[in-house]
Amino acid sequence: MSLSLSRSLPRALLRRSYGTVQAPPSAASLIANRIPPALQEATAATAPRTNWSREEVQQIYETPLNQLTYAAAAVHRRFHDPAAIQMCTLMNIKTGGCSEDCSYCAQSSRYSTGLKATKMSPVDEVLKAARIAKDNGSTRFCMGAAWRDMRGRKTSLKNIKEMVSGVRAMGMEVCVTLGMIDENQAKELKDAGLTAYNHNLDTSREFYPSIITTRSYDERLQTLSHVRDAGINVCSGGILGLGEADSDRIGLIHTVANLPSHPESFPVNALVPIKGTPLGDRKMIPFDKLLRTIATARIVLPATIVRLAAGRISLSEEQQVACFMAGANAVFTGEKMLTTDCNGWDEDREMFERWGFYPMRSFEKEGSTQPQPAVEAAPVAHDSASAAPAAASS
């Protein structure tokens, strides 16, 4: 029977030989092969770097969003407690009447927004507001004044220094945003106990002139230099939804990432359109763009606090949590955020409890640039099995 079977089979089949069966590549290997080189390097980093190329930032920003947020969560867990969120309260201590032409701002005297200009708030009124913020769980108190710079404002500076010292005496971090300041003014604020100075770059250098013409990009960078040289923490970020392109969000992060040292905090604002301003009819930026920017900032600025700032009130709770999971770890909370509505303390406390977050302590991140030793290198670039990132990050 075997003889007749062999005679009936084609000779080519009888001569065929077979090699060993190759095991299919692991899922982790396939994923790693699709990760851009810049992202692979960034997720393995153990310290911040200040020599990013624009192409590297673009590679990270353009990574598929599911991979990008996963990588951001891994980096976040290496450098931060993923459950801790800094609660900040922002008070407008001098409203309106600003001479600048920022196209998004209700406080510019050039636009008819219905906002009434006021004089600077009294020191005791500001300190009372700071105590209320502290009693409600905020650990950083921020004060903003609507003017171009501090030239000729000696009395105002004296009062602001008294506010700064008073807030610090409560055990809170204190931040101010006062427009452009020089070296001497920065030193005076430092001596008064100022923790951080906010001066946003807003957008990329290329897109900036279409939004603001009364202050140059280099003037903003010069203010950041004065702040940094005085030993004050730099707080500088941007506004999304101004009409910018992806390349401008990439450019903003690239500029900030190549400062002499990374800012202590990077606010990510979603434009809140104000009727009467040139951008009053714009729609809020799509959420995926906001989330992509936060995740990229977290990866490129690993030790920096990424603050989910203006526009948060328009996000659902689930969208806010997605931002926390992708690396945002600070919020503005309280009664008001300059001239726009803000998420309240009670609302935020309830959200934190539902999702397992807790308020970051005052000065918890001060001087902390080293990664947490217990967290392994980013799992996205390795073959070994690794657990999915836990919920939340601040």
Side-chain angles (χ1 to χ4, degrees):
M1 185 173 183
S2 61
L3 180 61
S4 61
L5 178 61
S6 64
R7 286 176 178 175
S8 67
L9 293 174
R11 291 184 178 182
L13 183 58
L14 293 173
R15 291 196 303 269
R16 184 173 297 168
S17 62
Y18 298 90
T20 58
V21 177
Q22 297 294 322
S26 68
S29 295
L30 291 174
I31 293 172
N33 290 336
R34 295 197 302 268
I35 296 174
L39 182 58
Q40 292 193 44
E41 181 179 345
T43 53
T46 57
R49 48 175 282 213
T50 56
N51 61 343
W52 289 89
S53 71
R54 193 161 181 148
E55 292 71 24
E56 287 175 315
V57 178
Q58 180 177 349
Q59 277 187 27
I60 293 171
Y61 182 90
E62 293 179 348
T63 300
L65 193 54
N66 67 327
Q67 292 183 24
L68 179 63
T69 54
Y70 184 76
V75 172
H76 187 68
R77 280 155 178 74
R78 185 177 307 120
F79 286 85
H80 305 266
D81 179 345
I85 299 180
Q86 185 188 62
M87 297 181 70
C88 314
T89 294
L90 175 59
M91 179 180 181
N92 210 350
I93 61 173
K94 192 275 174 186
T95 302
C98 182
S99 63
E100 301 252 46
D101 68 352
C102 306
S103 298
Y104 50 79
C105 188
Q107 304 197 75
S108 172
S109 61
R110 298 167 185 248
Y111 312 132
S112 298
T113 62
L115 187 71
K116 183 180 179 181
T118 66
K119 294 182 179 180
M120 179 177 287
S121 301
V123 174
D124 57 349
E125 183 179 308
V126 173
L127 296 182
K128 179 181 178 182
R131 279 189 287 272
I132 292 172
K134 181 180 180 181
D135 291 344
N136 278 280
S138 293
T139 56
R140 174 174 286 199
F141 190 73
C142 308
M143 298 173 283
W147 51 49
R148 171 180 165 79
D149 54 39
M150 290 294 295
R151 286 183 299 179
R153 304 184 191 278
K154 291 184 178 180
T155 301
S156 294
L157 182 58
K158 176 178 177 294
N159 290 339
I160 290 170
K161 289 192 296 182
E162 191 174 342
M163 296 172 190
V164 168
S165 298
V167 175
R168 278 300 298 266
M170 299 178 198
M172 299 181 76
E173 300 177 28
V174 57
C175 176
V176 297
T177 178
L178 309 171
M180 293 184 288
I181 57 173
D182 60 29
E183 307 98 312
N184 293 330
Q185 292 161 347
K187 186 178 184 303
E188 287 189 57
L189 290 168
K190 170 65 175 178
D191 292 343
L194 188 66
T195 308
Y197 193 95
N198 168 259
H199 201 63
N200 291 330
L201 294 179
D202 287 349
T203 186
S204 70
R205 179 183 286 275
E206 295 80 8
F207 189 67
Y208 181 88
S210 65
I211 301 300
I212 303 161
T213 65
T214 51
R215 186 189 317 184
S216 73
Y217 208 71
D218 286 323
E219 284 177 315
R220 288 183 180 264
L221 290 170
Q222 186 64 59
T223 293
L224 296 185
S225 178
H226 294 327
V227 170
R228 190 167 48 246
D229 291 346
I232 301 170
N233 289 334
V234 169
C235 171
S236 186
I239 306 173
L240 310 186
L242 302 172
E244 78 283 355
D246 286 334
S247 60
D248 296 305
R249 292 183 278 275
I250 292 166
L252 168 66
I253 295 173
H254 173 249
T255 298
V256 172
N258 284 282
L259 294 173
S261 59
H262 288 177
E264 177 256 1
S265 51
F266 181 81
V268 179
N269 298 277
L271 175 70
V272 179
I274 305 295
K275 292 295 182 182
T277 66
L279 300 180
D281 294 326
R282 292 203 62 84
K283 294 181 179 179
M284 186 170 176
I285 188 169
F287 177 68
D288 65 300
K289 301 291 187 183
L290 174 66
L291 184 62
R292 185 177 292 277
T293 302
I294 287 172
T296 303
R298 167 50 63 224
I299 292 167
V300 177
L301 309 169
T304 294
I305 290 173
V306 177
R307 184 169 295 109
L308 188 57
R312 180 169 73 98
I313 196 168
S314 298
L315 302 179
S316 69
E317 181 172 306
E318 292 77 11
Q319 287 175 325
Q320 293 178 61
V321 171
C323 292
F324 299 147
M325 290 180 173
N329 58 344
V331 295
F332 281 114
T333 183
E335 298 170 348
K336 202 84 171 172
M337 189 180 165
L338 294 180
T339 63
T340 60
D341 292 334
C342 186
N343 303 69
W345 289 294
D346 291 342
E347 176 186 349
D348 283 337
R349 269 194 296 269
E350 291 170 4
M351 176 176 64
F352 287 5
E353 289 174 4
R354 273 191 291 273
W355 294 88
F357 302 119
Y358 67 88
M360 188 183 295
R361 297 183 299 274
S362 292
F363 306 102
E364 183 171 331
K365 296 301 298 179
E366 188 167 278
S368 175
T369 58
Q370 296 303 314
Q372 302 295 326
V375 182
E376 297 179 359
V380 293
H382 299 288
D383 291 346
S384 57
S386 53
S393 116
S394 103

